[in-house]
Amino acid sequence: MRFRKQFVSFFMVLCIILSTGYFLSTAKLRFIRYTPMPCPESTEELSNPYIGWYQVQRYLLSDTLSFDLDMITGLEQKPGLVLLEINLQNYADCPVTSAGLQNLDTLFHCWETTRKQLIVRFLYDWDGDARAQEPEELSLILEHMSQTVPVLNRYSDSVYILQGIFIGSWGEMHGSNHANEEDMRTLMQHLNTLVSPDIFLAVRTPEQWRSMTGQTEPLSAGQASGHSLAARLGLFNDGMLGSETDLNTYQESSSDHTSNATGKRSREEEIRFQSLLCDSVPNGGEVIIDNPHNDFAPAVTYLRDAHVSYLNGSYDEAVLSKWQADRYRGEGPFQGMNGRDYIGRHLGYRYVLRSSDCTSPDLPGEAAQFSAILENVGFSGSYVPFELSLSLVAVERKNVYTIPLQTDIRSLSPGTQLMLSAPLELPDYMTGTYQLCLKITDPATGCEVRLANDTAHTAYGHAIGNLEIRSFPKFSQ
């Protein structure tokens, strides 16, 4: 009898221990069900940073502040590219004065408040007569660089690209007494030592790129991530699609190949060169002179192959109007859209969410796995790093959990897909229903990068699905 009582007592204690253990273990167990939201591709224009149509604003620097600052500060505060052409003609025979430098600082400060991304070009000529307008001595141009670039660097969060090396008609590195290889190398090397590594540089032609860098071919993906001149030197082609040679940007097709490895190459070879180069540095400019090379269909092929991310939105209007009158005839949601809008929506990167999922852990204690597929349908990738995050926003409560996604979206080249993934440690989250939101942000400007999807948008980004977390595998139907 005594043994039976002991056994019953032991059994009851054991049951209590097991029950308590089960309760404690199941209190931490989580079960999930994920329901992705539909994510149809959008054809809307997206106001994303660093890409698209740019506007041109011209300023003649002087000792007198003559800029329309109210026009600048009155602009709508949203992402967008602006090319600032800053003419130093008033200082062609002397250093820039302290008053001139202060006015330059005031100009950049006003533009910084607009949240625009700035493309900057210093020049001496707007009339196509650089030889008459530029300083005679190369040393004075070098001094102007040393004076103005420190001002530029103070606004490196706003300045995206510095085009050219101060010389040439319209600042395009041709028609100048200094447009010889030795002087241009001297100017570029000096500029490279001055300009913040956060700012891209750009030259007019692939031939100049090879001459300035001493490289016959673009850098590999690993090399292109550094801060060398070759790693941050892009292109600005202001003769884009203007002729078979893009107005002497490329070699004549019928010409013999140059024996100089860094020299000018045929159109086909230079497009292949740009396709490799502009995976890691920006390419843009303006299209000019209505001709068959800039008809809509061949223009799209060129812009895609050369990875063009920005174009002048007002010049050449004859070409832009021709695109406006044409239609995109390919498959997909853009079918029937006018050519000008189609091109504008594909300049640069354009990210489309193709799918998302969240899978349950295989074993207790393991993390659930979130995943999503992004596709880049634009003409180029991004050249600056963006921050990606996944937020779990509680429907019933005010709880919000935000998880950084560790990925470099610069690797998402045009026409490719990228899988985003993150572990979800389920015991860390309260039970309930959550809306999952995906957000991409440019840390330099604070601007959000919108996805090209017709999905609900919130303060936490694009809503992509609903996640139910329960202590027991019981879900509403």
Side-chain angles (χ1 to χ4, degrees):
M1 181 65 69
R2 180 181 175 186
F3 174 79
R4 181 181 297 176
K5 289 182 178 180
Q6 290 177 336
F7 177 80
V8 171
S9 299
F10 172 79
F11 182 77
M12 291 179 65
V13 170
L14 180 63
C15 288
I16 292 172
I17 293 174
L18 291 175
S19 298
T20 303
Y22 176 78
F23 174 80
L24 291 174
S25 64
T26 56
K28 283 293 184 181
L29 284 179
R30 295 289 188 268
F31 302 89
I32 65 169
R33 183 171 70 179
Y34 179 68
T35 306
M37 292 182 179
C39 51
E41 182 176 350
S42 169
T43 61
E44 292 300 309
E45 183 178 15
L46 304 175
S47 296
N48 282 335
Y50 308 106
I51 59 173
W53 303 112
Y54 68 83
Q55 57 174 295
V56 181
Q57 297 291 336
R58 290 179 163 183
Y59 298 96
L60 181 63
L61 193 66
S62 68
D63 291 359
T64 303
L65 186 62
S66 57
F67 310 140
D68 185 357
L69 302 181
D70 290 338
M71 183 281 293
I72 301 172
T73 56
L75 290 172
E76 186 177 359
Q77 305 237 342
K78 67 176 185 178
L81 288 170
V82 178
L83 170 61
L84 304 184
E85 292 187 355
I86 301 170
N87 195 322
L88 303 177
Q89 185 182 114
N90 288 326
Y91 305 99
D93 59 356
C94 65
V96 181
T97 63
S98 57
L101 293 174
Q102 181 57 55
N103 291 338
L104 181 63
D105 186 275
T106 299
L107 179 67
F108 282 134
H109 175 73
C110 284
W111 275 106
E112 184 182 48
T113 65
T114 67
R115 300 182 74 198
K116 305 290 184 184
Q117 292 78 56
L118 306 180
I119 304 168
V120 177
R121 188 187 303 181
F122 290 100
L123 44 79
Y124 300 91
D125 169 71
W126 281 327
D127 303 315
D129 190 12
R131 290 184 175 89
Q133 306 288 358
E134 291 176 350
E136 294 182 4
E137 299 298 326
L138 186 70
S139 59
L140 184 54
I141 301 175
L142 293 169
E143 184 173 1
H144 287 167
M145 287 180 171
S146 296
Q147 290 182 294
T148 57
V149 168
V151 180
L152 181 86
N153 286 342
R154 288 200 284 271
Y155 300 93
S156 59
D157 279 352
S158 299
V159 178
Y160 177 40
I161 304 169
L162 177 61
Q163 292 183 341
I165 50 176
F166 287 46
I167 67 164
S169 297
W170 304 284
E172 293 182 24
M173 301 176 64
H174 60 77
S176 165
N177 291 324
H178 306 290
N180 59 79
E181 192 167 1
E182 181 180 355
D183 282 0
M184 289 199 296
R185 281 183 178 175
T186 299
L187 290 166
M188 178 55 79
Q189 288 169 2
H190 186 58
L191 198 63
N192 186 48
T193 64
L194 295 171
V195 178
S196 166
D198 297 325
I199 299 173
F200 285 100
L201 303 175
V203 290
R204 171 66 178 76
T205 71
E207 179 187 23
Q208 291 169 346
W209 188 95
R210 292 187 288 269
S211 175
M212 299 296 100
T213 64
Q215 301 280 336
T216 59
E217 297 299 331
L219 300 181
S220 66
Q223 294 171 318
S225 61
H227 291 302
S228 67
L229 175 60
R232 65 159 168 168
L233 187 60
L235 301 171
F236 70 102
N237 183 356
D238 283 2
M240 195 178 294
L241 298 169
S243 69
E244 171 67 24
T245 64
D246 279 15
L247 302 189
N248 206 34
T249 301
Y250 315 131
Q251 188 182 56
E252 293 282 356
S253 297
S254 58
S255 300
D256 293 332
H257 288 287
T258 177
S259 58
N260 182 357
T262 63
K264 194 177 298 184
R265 302 173 185 174
S266 71
R267 182 182 189 85
E268 292 75 18
E269 291 173 305
E270 296 290 37
I271 292 175
R272 284 195 293 271
F273 182 89
Q274 291 173 77
S275 183
L276 294 173
L277 173 66
C278 299
D279 260 342
S280 55
V281 290
N283 188 10
E286 59 187 29
V287 291
I288 64 171
I289 308 174
D290 183 2
N291 71 89
H293 293 288
N294 52 42
D295 287 348
F296 173 60
V300 168
T301 300
Y302 175 91
L303 297 171
R304 181 180 292 115
D305 291 346
H307 301 325
V308 173
S309 58
Y310 65 96
L311 285 176
N312 189 334
S314 59
Y315 191 82
D316 184 337
E317 187 56 42
V319 180
L320 301 179
S321 295
K322 179 171 63 172
W323 292 349
Q324 181 83 32
D326 210 332
R327 290 289 181 272
Y328 177 69
R329 296 173 175 82
E331 299 295 328
F334 290 94
Q335 188 175 59
M337 177 176 284
N338 76 74
R340 185 172 183 168
D341 286 349
Y342 177 86
I343 287 175
R345 282 154 172 74
H346 289 81
L347 290 172
Y349 59 85
R350 188 177 177 91
Y351 301 135
V352 180
L353 177 71
R354 293 303 187 191
S355 65
S356 65
D357 195 12
C358 193
T359 57
S360 299
D362 293 329
L363 296 173
E366 290 185 348
Q369 291 295 323
F370 166 81
S371 63
I373 300 293
L374 280 185
E375 182 175 354
N376 183 2
V377 299
F379 292 155
S380 82
S382 169
Y383 304 107
V384 298
F386 295 144
E387 295 176 347
L388 286 78
S389 63
L390 176 71
S391 290
L392 284 69
V393 184
V395 175
E396 299 91 344
R397 306 180 185 89
K398 295 182 179 180
N399 297 346
V400 177
Y401 305 97
T402 298
I403 307 164
L405 300 179
Q406 304 300 327
T407 187
D408 189 345
I409 204 166
R410 289 175 294 182
S411 65
L412 185 49
S413 299
T416 66
Q417 293 186 340
L418 176 69
M419 175 177 283
L420 308 176
S421 62
L424 301 183
E425 301 292 345
L426 296 179
D428 295 343
Y429 308 115
M430 297 182 65
T431 58
T433 301
Y434 295 87
Q435 185 179 70
L436 265 59
C437 296
L438 179 64
K439 190 172 189 177
I440 306 176
T441 307
D442 172 35
T445 63
C447 296
E448 182 179 355
V449 175
R450 299 290 289 268
L451 299 177
N453 290 97
D454 285 325
T455 58
H457 186 264
T458 76
Y460 302 98
H462 291 264
I464 62 173
N466 292 311
L467 179 68
E468 294 180 73
I469 302 177
R470 296 288 181 264
S471 296
F472 297 94
K474 179 180 180 183
F475 297 99
S476 59
Q477 299 298 318

